[in-house]
Amino acid sequence: MTEKVLIREKMKAFRKEMDPKEKKAREKRLCDGITEILDDLQFQEVLCYYPLPLEIDLLSAYEKWLSSGKKLYFPVTSKDRISFFSPDSLDGFSEGPMHVMEPVLRDDPYLPNEKALCLVPGLAFTKEGMRLGYGKGYYDRFIFENKKIVTLGVCFEEQVFEELPCDENDAPLNFIIFS
């Protein structure tokens, strides 16, 4: 087993064993922290992720951001790429090929610009912004193709490592936030 596989398995086990009440409280702190970043830096567009069952759930913050006028986009996977689309509401999703909820309506695509913040999920991160995802490279390719976008990794403190096994295919993030 490679080091990446071992870290992925360890982090999946950590998330699975996490106390639900503690997870909820820490997710709220993350939602508050990200909201503060959005307000301070005046981002109007946010590339979000729809959480898998064990991922950090930011849906409550998404609702607030939508009601405050922010434009949200969610990923849609196809082959080896992700594209982002803005849904009318958080109700218009269906399960995609990677078991991730994807927006049903896809008539409002994200157009690359410097005024968007991309929230990036993952299994492990370094404080310097390196990330270990699920191994398919969707976010890495997207980040490399959209170098001007500001990226923010979202995780729990236990998911932050001093070092991670990375190579030239792993895209560094601008920032990480953890609770």
Side-chain angles (χ1 to χ4, degrees):
M1 237 185 234
T2 70
E3 190 177 0
K4 283 186 176 184
V5 171
L6 290 172
I7 293 170
R8 283 185 183 110
E9 293 305 314
K10 180 180 176 182
M11 291 297 94
K12 286 178 185 177
F14 156 73
R15 292 190 325 195
K16 197 174 207 175
E17 295 163 5
M18 192 171 201
D19 175 65
K21 279 186 176 179
E22 178 187 351
K23 181 177 186 281
K24 203 73 148 158
R26 292 169 79 181
E27 287 171 339
K28 178 168 182 349
R29 286 195 297 272
L30 285 166
C31 287
D32 292 345
I34 297 168
T35 300
E36 192 173 307
I37 291 168
L38 289 175
D39 293 343
D40 287 350
L41 300 178
Q42 300 179 339
F43 286 107
Q44 291 304 310
E45 296 183 340
V46 186
L47 280 66
C48 304
Y49 64 89
Y50 202 102
L52 292 169
L54 295 176
E55 282 184 327
I56 294 172
D57 186 343
L58 303 175
L59 290 171
S60 64
Y62 298 164
E63 289 284 356
K64 289 178 191 170
W65 301 342
L66 272 175
S67 65
S68 73
K70 304 239 185 280
K71 182 116 181 200
L72 306 186
Y73 296 87
F74 290 84
V76 172
T77 57
S78 60
K79 285 204 174 186
D80 61 350
R81 309 189 79 69
I82 56 172
S83 302
F84 288 82
F85 295 88
S86 183
D88 288 341
S89 74
L90 294 181
D91 296 327
F93 287 79
S94 65
E95 189 173 324
M98 303 301 295
H99 305 293
V100 174
M101 299 300 284
E102 298 180 346
V104 174
L105 291 178
R106 298 179 185 172
D107 55 357
D108 190 1
Y110 166 72
L111 301 174
N113 68 75
E114 298 170 19
K115 298 193 180 353
L117 178 68
C118 181
L119 303 178
V120 184
L123 291 166
F125 299 82
T126 67
K127 288 182 181 175
E128 291 75 33
M130 294 312 296
R131 168 187 164 273
L132 184 63
Y134 295 93
K136 301 290 185 190
Y138 288 109
Y139 276 93
D140 294 308
R141 284 186 293 280
F142 178 80
I143 293 166
F144 280 129
E145 291 168 5
N146 296 277
K147 293 186 185 294
K148 292 183 179 181
I149 195 166
V150 178
T151 53
L152 177 67
V154 180
C155 63
F156 293 122
E157 185 174 12
E158 293 85 349
Q159 293 175 273
V160 179
F161 287 68
E162 283 295 317
E163 290 183 331
L164 288 172
C166 296
D167 58 39
E168 68 278 352
N169 296 316
D170 296 314
L173 306 177
N174 298 110
F175 308 99
I176 68 163
I177 186 170
F178 57 89
S179 170

